[in-house]
Amino acid sequence: MVETCQFTTNDEKETRALASHIAISLQAGDVIALEGDLGAGKTTFSQGVARGLGIEAPIDSPTFTLIKEYDQGRLPFIHMDVYRLEDGGEELGWEEYFYGNAVALVEWADRIKDWLPERFIHIEIKRVDGDRRMITVTTPIEWKERICGGVEEG
Ligand code: ADP
Ligand code: MG
């Protein structure tokens, strides 16, 4: 059983602010599966999550490195972009990332569906027009209040 909450942002600052706000409620072991076309705002959203966790280091796109870890925040933050993952990624050791005490966020997560844990936070970013984005957060029903409760929908 899942529940969704939905937000609209009008520029990248609003997307970062929303993500920072959501990050306040994240817990060790949370996995965020981020979806959206190229340029939708996945990395922008990730930057907001990192800020919300108290990470001040610049968060760039891990398109070529696939995985970057930041340890300066309230929780360790693992930022992945699996767009360029060539094969199934069997050898990458997902357990270490998804079942530890970090918050793991994966851009293009549908490419590694098979490796995601049973419960995760799914976030889809869709371009509406211009700079406007629709951001849909889907969580297991028992997490909805924690993840969406503190953020005003709209
Ligand atoms: P992705 O990681 O999904 O490919 P990026 O976050 O790297 O996307 O890039 C998103 C681009 O869209 C940035 O240039 C950003 O400035 C721009 N942008 C415009 N409006 C928004 C918005 N509302 N939310 C996020 N990014 C936006
Ligand atoms: Mg990106």
Side-chain angles (χ1 to χ4, degrees):
M1 290 279 279
V2 295
E3 277 275 7
T4 67
C5 47
Q6 205 161 60
F7 309 92
T8 306
T9 65
N10 294 302
D11 56 36
E12 63 168 86
K13 257 179 81 180
E14 286 188 16
T15 296
R16 283 209 187 86
L18 171 68
S20 295
H21 210 117
I22 289 174
I24 293 169
S25 58
L26 292 174
Q27 297 177 353
D30 278 343
V31 173
I32 298 177
L34 208 47
E35 308 287 355
D37 295 340
L38 209 63
K42 299 180 295 302
T43 299
T44 303
F45 189 94
S46 309
Q47 290 164 345
V49 169
R51 291 298 171 272
L53 290 172
I55 296 159
E56 282 164 21
I59 308 293
D60 46 20
S61 177
T63 303
F64 295 99
T65 49
L66 294 186
I67 298 169
K68 276 199 173 180
E69 184 162 352
Y70 303 84
D71 289 322
Q72 316 88 319
R74 177 173 71 81
L75 294 165
F77 177 56
I78 298 168
H79 184 200
M80 306 187 205
D81 181 335
V82 296
Y83 185 68
R84 279 169 199 278
L85 194 66
E86 299 274 321
D87 48 32
E90 287 81 359
E91 72 295 341
L92 272 172
W94 303 105
E95 282 79 14
E96 183 196 330
Y97 303 121
F98 294 153
Y99 298 92
N101 64 349
V103 167
L105 180 154
V106 192
E107 298 190 34
W108 300 100
D110 66 331
R111 298 190 178 206
I112 57 153
K113 274 205 232 23
D114 292 349
W115 306 106
L116 291 174
E118 192 189 342
R119 294 194 297 178
F120 57 88
I121 300 158
H122 183 270
I123 300 183
E124 187 184 20
I125 308 179
K126 272 199 174 145
R127 190 184 270 121
V128 181
D129 50 49
D131 287 352
R132 188 164 304 176
R133 303 290 191 269
M134 186 150 80
I135 300 178
T136 308
V137 180
T138 306
T139 71
I141 195 163
E142 63 275 26
W143 292 359
K144 189 195 178 196
E145 188 51 35
R146 170 167 70 94
I147 303 299
C148 299
V151 209
E152 200 181 325
E153 288 189 57

